[in-house]
Amino acid sequence: MSHSGPDAKADPSAWRALQDSLTANGERRLVLLEGDREQNLRWLSGLLPGLEIQSGLWTGPADHSPDTRLTRVTPPGARKWLGCEVSLIVWDGWHGNPPDAFAALSGALTAGGLLFWLMPPLAEWSRFADPDYSRTGLEHGPNHPFAARMADLLADDDAVIRVSPDRPESRPPVPPLPEKRFRIAATRDQEQLVQRLVRFGLGRRRRPLVVTADRGRGKSAAMGMAAAELLRQGRQDIVVTAPSEQNVETLFRHACETLGDQLAEASPGILSSRAGGRLRFMPVRELLTLRPEAEVVLVDEAAAIPAPLLKSVLLGWPRVAFATTVHGYEGAGRGFAIRFRQVLDQSTPQWQSVTLSEPVRWAMNDPLEALISRLFLLAADGGRLPGKTEYSAGELVIELWEPATASDEALSRAFGLLVDAHYRTSPADLRQWLDDPAARSWRARIGDQTVGVLWCALEGGLPDELAQQVSLGTRRIRGHLLPQSLASHSGYPEAAVLRGLRVVRIAVSDEVRRAGIGQSMVQAARAYAAEQDVDYLGTSFGGSADLLAFWQTCGLHVVRVGLQQEASSGEYPLQMVAGFSQAGRDLEERIRSRLADHWLTLLPGNWQGLEPTLLAGITADLPTGPTLDKDDLRDLRNFANGHRGFQVTVPVLRKLSQVPGIMAWLNSHEALAVWCQGVLQGRPWSALQADRLCLGQREGEDRLRQVVRDLLKDGPGL
């Protein structure tokens, strides 16, 4: 660990020697500039002109940049640098430290690279009012365990170079030169991947390839090399898509290099071979709109693309390969691999998987990669339960738990469970979990092994006037997701005045799922809420039939369905509540009753994308509608027997859907999808025919007539 002082003039030759040594060893370093920001910037301004900078980044204000060669990037724009390569980064932590962006940008640093981080002294981190906290609602917390944990890890890491104004100048430590210099070259993993990609691109249809790896393993380069080889071997049209064109710069550079004298023309985002083949970049939405006749589609940084779009790409072309980062800085890492595997198994069961482990852009023992992984728990793993997977009731312990005070091993396992269970769990979630004073957590353990985690947040309790402003849409405050949603979207300001406990995340180890552990943790949270005079327990999640059923077993009911599908999952947000106090129970009943009154009117115009099983489950969960009268029953009999048209019977069929027990009965009927889409969602018969739910209007109506005949004969409540 080196201690230097910016008041003394930096010695560029010593730092150039460090760069040369790191390049030779294939390593990178974090340089922590502690203390006075202005002094540190002056020191940097004296040092950087003497350093080798092929490409560099600066995250602070544009007019404060310590070197004109640095490209300014704001933390929200860090994701655009995924897959890119830079030799130096200066991160201005005094202007905010969003964890996802910091981790992502560090992955762009190549061997020999230096990451300068301007921050207060480590001893002050636990109280440092990070400017980024105001964006997340964390500014009201006096202590910041997430930052304190990072400070402890940095202080204990001998590879971190620390520089501060109150220490005498010293030369940075220069690792000895290795016997064999590190060079960026194709690894055996990468060479095998290129071969696999070429076989895939020339092979049979509907056998997609999924490539997963940590950052810096060369998957983008491999895709570029494989694309070039495919063009050489006769493929005419290859399309690559990614979150941004910047993400595929490495891919295109390696494609150009591999084509060599076979390259006819190259410009940003497109190149052509002398044989007439073409490789081009298309943004994913443009790709899905234009639907070019591509023989091969390559998707880079797939985890940063919304899941519904990935599924559309998968089904839209004969040969699709996806590449993504396992421990994703963008917050979709292993969750992507787990969740997308379900889509692949269902849609293309012949899919193939490849994993890269050996880094290309730096050496296996690179200290910076290990440090970033520890700081942000990028390798957090829920782990496997040793031995038996069955347990007795007495072995399971549910306890209120403070993740901020847990050992790093216990924290890593618990966070790993969240990563495995949730599609977009990211380092930012780790910070929120540790630092939010409103967070309340429970863990389930068998012995000392964590098998379940429940993370909740206390919300609401807003003053009446503020709650009214939220309800009117004239104010929006950080946090308080569920109370604000029910106040502004559902129109009930009292939801923000009452106190709620919202479930943020819940996860249970695979080996003991469906054993009631999740319900037990929720029951513990309910008991806590009752003791703390909380008015209701609630949750907000991307709707699925399985999750709806789980929360129903926990005693919660649907109070709101979001109008817009979530970009990350393609699912409609679903909010459920269980009232505890009299005010909480009254609120739950009123919101549910109003949603039920509006449900059949809102449904056709807003929720045509709801999956039938989920739609049936929501409809069954809502309070029942008015009972059918004798005229309704007459119309149903006439429709069932073919004497009455479908269009004029739709109002009665929809009314029938809110009769107690009807949707639960339909949920197991083979015509459920036809009923949901034709009756409740009002989709045209041509759309149902295109989805292969019926042969056409006549056959579809005949199926519905049969359903009504079955209902009149055996259905509940008729």
Side-chain angles (χ1 to χ4, degrees):
M1 189 182 298
S2 170
H3 304 275
S4 305
D7 277 344
K9 188 175 181 180
D11 179 4
S13 63
W15 289 85
R16 282 197 302 271
L18 172 62
Q19 284 183 303
D20 292 341
S21 174
L22 292 176
T23 302
N25 283 280
E27 296 180 0
R28 307 166 301 158
R29 285 291 189 276
L30 175 69
V31 183
L32 188 62
L33 302 180
E34 300 179 69
D36 187 84
R37 178 177 179 272
E38 301 306 320
Q39 286 180 281
N40 280 319
L41 277 175
R42 284 196 300 272
W43 181 82
L44 268 178
S45 297
L47 170 67
L48 296 186
L51 296 188
E52 181 74 25
I53 303 177
Q54 295 177 345
S55 59
L57 303 176
W58 158 251
T59 68
D63 57 350
H64 291 190
S65 177
D67 193 292
T68 57
R69 293 172 293 172
L70 302 181
T71 299
R72 182 173 182 260
V73 55
T74 60
R79 181 179 295 190
K80 294 179 181 178
W81 290 86
L82 293 172
C84 301
E85 298 176 2
V86 298
S87 58
L88 187 139
I89 298 170
V90 182
W91 181 282
D92 186 359
W94 291 93
H95 283 84
N97 297 279
D100 294 354
F102 188 94
L105 220 50
S106 73
L109 202 62
T110 56
L114 297 173
L115 171 51
F116 292 94
W117 192 2
L118 288 91
M119 283 290 283
L122 287 179
E124 298 176 13
W125 281 32
S126 65
R127 302 181 303 280
F128 173 51
D130 192 315
D132 189 56
Y133 283 160
S134 62
R135 182 179 60 84
T136 59
L138 293 175
E139 72 274 18
H140 56 282
N143 298 308
H144 305 297
F146 176 81
R149 174 183 169 274
M150 286 201 301
D152 289 342
L153 291 172
L154 291 167
D156 289 341
D157 194 321
D158 288 337
V160 175
I161 301 170
R162 296 172 63 182
V163 176
S164 67
D166 59 354
R167 296 190 179 103
E169 171 72 11
S170 65
R171 296 167 63 88
V174 178
L177 292 173
E179 293 183 8
K180 183 179 179 181
R181 285 183 66 91
F182 172 83
R183 65 185 183 91
I184 296 178
T187 62
R188 181 173 174 80
D189 271 359
Q190 194 182 38
E191 290 171 348
Q192 291 177 341
L193 173 58
V194 173
Q195 295 169 10
R196 286 285 299 272
L197 283 164
V198 171
R199 289 200 302 271
F200 145 81
L202 297 173
R204 299 174 64 179
R205 301 160 62 95
R206 299 294 170 202
R207 299 202 171 195
L209 190 64
V210 178
V211 183
T212 53
D214 283 348
R215 186 70 53 203
R217 267 58 185 173
K219 58 188 182 303
S220 296
M223 292 180 89
M225 290 185 274
E229 187 60 33
L230 287 169
L231 292 178
R232 277 178 172 171
Q233 297 198 33
R235 287 299 181 202
Q236 294 296 298
D237 195 2
I238 302 174
V239 172
V240 59
T241 189
S244 76
E245 188 170 349
Q246 202 169 13
N247 297 140
V248 299
E249 287 178 355
T250 299
L251 187 155
F252 271 85
R253 186 174 71 253
H254 282 84
C256 287
E257 292 172 358
T258 304
L259 277 173
D261 60 7
Q262 293 298 307
L263 178 65
E265 187 178 349
S267 57
I270 187 167
L271 61 82
S272 57
S273 69
R274 292 191 182 279
R278 179 174 59 167
L279 172 67
R280 52 184 168 145
F281 169 78
M282 295 182 73
V284 65
R285 294 185 188 276
E286 181 181 327
L287 173 68
L288 291 170
T289 300
L290 299 180
R291 296 198 170 271
E293 294 290 333
E295 297 151 300
V296 177
V297 173
L298 306 175
V299 184
D300 205 359
E301 302 299 347
I305 294 174
L309 302 185
L310 292 178
K311 183 176 181 180
S312 297
V313 174
L314 172 69
L315 300 179
W317 284 268
R319 296 172 190 85
V320 185
F322 302 89
T324 195
T325 306
V326 177
H327 300 131
Y329 310 122
E330 61 274 15
R334 203 163 59 252
F336 162 83
I338 294 168
R339 187 78 164 271
F340 197 51
R341 182 174 288 123
Q342 299 168 5
V343 175
L344 292 161
D345 286 342
Q346 181 180 6
S347 303
T348 52
Q350 300 298 316
W351 68 282
Q352 310 161 63
S353 176
V354 181
T355 300
L356 302 182
S357 57
E358 190 177 349
V360 174
R361 296 208 298 262
W362 49 78
M364 281 290 284
N365 58 350
D366 172 51
L368 182 63
E369 181 176 48
L371 175 62
I372 295 296
S373 183
R374 288 195 301 273
L375 289 176
F376 303 113
L377 292 182
L378 296 182
D381 190 347
R384 305 287 296 178
L385 286 176
K388 63 178 183 177
T389 58
E390 295 183 358
Y391 61 92
S392 64
E395 292 179 284
L396 179 68
V397 176
I398 309 290
E399 57 191 3
L400 197 62
W401 191 59
E402 287 284 350
T405 62
S407 68
D408 242 43
E409 181 182 358
L411 179 63
S412 181
R413 165 141 179 109
F415 191 64
L417 288 175
L418 297 180
V419 170
D420 288 347
H422 293 274
Y423 194 60
R424 299 194 74 82
T425 300
S426 73
D429 293 308
L430 178 63
R431 180 179 68 175
Q432 194 78 20
W433 193 23
L434 297 186
D435 281 11
D436 186 0
R440 299 292 183 273
S441 300
W442 286 261
R443 77 162 172 171
R445 61 177 173 86
I446 299 173
D448 61 356
Q449 190 81 357
T450 301
V451 296
V453 180
L454 175 65
W455 167 16
C456 299
L458 286 167
E459 297 184 331
L462 304 184
D464 286 339
E465 183 178 353
L466 179 55
Q468 288 289 344
Q469 293 171 343
V470 168
S471 182
L472 292 171
T474 58
R475 283 287 300 275
R476 179 76 183 171
I477 57 175
R478 299 293 182 187
H480 302 280
L481 183 153
L482 187 57
Q484 288 197 94
S485 179
L486 297 180
S488 61
H489 299 300
S490 297
Y492 289 83
E494 56 267 46
V497 175
L498 299 180
R499 299 177 69 229
L501 183 68
R502 176 174 64 90
V503 174
V504 181
R505 294 278 195 276
I506 185 169
V508 174
S509 182
D510 274 340
E511 297 94 327
V512 289
R513 278 198 184 143
R514 305 193 183 285
I517 293 176
Q519 288 176 250
S520 297
M521 290 192 294
V522 174
Q523 188 57 43
R526 290 184 67 130
Y528 172 87
E531 292 171 4
Q532 300 295 316
D533 295 324
V534 172
D535 296 292
Y536 59 87
L537 174 73
T539 184
S540 180
F541 57 92
S544 71
D546 287 348
L547 285 175
L548 172 65
F550 169 75
W551 288 112
Q552 286 172 325
T553 63
C554 294
L556 279 69
H557 291 287
V558 177
V559 289
R560 179 175 175 266
V561 184
L563 298 177
Q564 303 295 326
Q565 290 167 288
E566 294 178 337
S568 60
S569 67
E571 296 164 343
Y572 290 93
L574 200 60
Q575 295 176 340
M576 301 178 70
V577 159
F580 297 145
S581 68
Q582 186 60 52
R585 291 193 297 271
D586 288 346
L587 175 68
E588 176 194 345
E589 181 180 347
R590 289 170 58 210
I591 297 180
R592 293 185 66 230
S593 295
R594 191 163 182 80
L595 177 58
D597 288 345
H598 295 173
W599 182 242
L600 297 180
T601 301
L602 292 173
L603 182 52
N606 295 284
W607 293 299
Q608 290 207 357
L610 268 179
E611 184 268 330
T613 305
L614 177 59
L615 172 52
I618 294 171
T619 306
D621 186 78
L622 294 173
T624 57
T627 57
L628 299 178
D629 58 30
K630 62 180 182 180
D631 293 333
D632 294 326
L633 292 171
R634 180 198 62 218
D635 285 350
L636 288 174
R637 285 192 294 269
N638 288 342
F639 174 73
N641 294 316
H643 306 307
R644 185 172 177 81
F646 169 71
Q647 286 300 118
V648 293
T649 315
V650 165
V652 181
L653 296 176
R654 289 180 177 170
K655 187 177 179 181
L656 173 63
S657 300
Q658 290 191 313
V659 169
I662 292 296
M663 288 311 297
W665 182 89
L666 278 169
N667 218 345
S668 58
H669 198 285
E670 54 90 20
L672 172 67
V674 177
W675 184 281
C676 286
Q677 297 195 21
V679 175
L680 294 177
Q681 292 169 314
R683 297 187 71 204
W685 289 110
S686 58
L688 272 70
Q689 185 178 2
D691 289 346
R692 300 182 180 178
L693 294 177
C694 63
L695 299 176
Q697 178 173 349
R698 176 143 187 189
E699 194 265 345
E701 290 182 0
D702 285 345
R703 293 184 67 188
L704 292 178
R705 294 182 197 277
Q706 182 61 53
V707 172
V708 176
R709 285 197 294 273
D710 294 344
L711 276 169
L712 290 171
K713 180 182 178 183
D714 302 317
L718 294 178

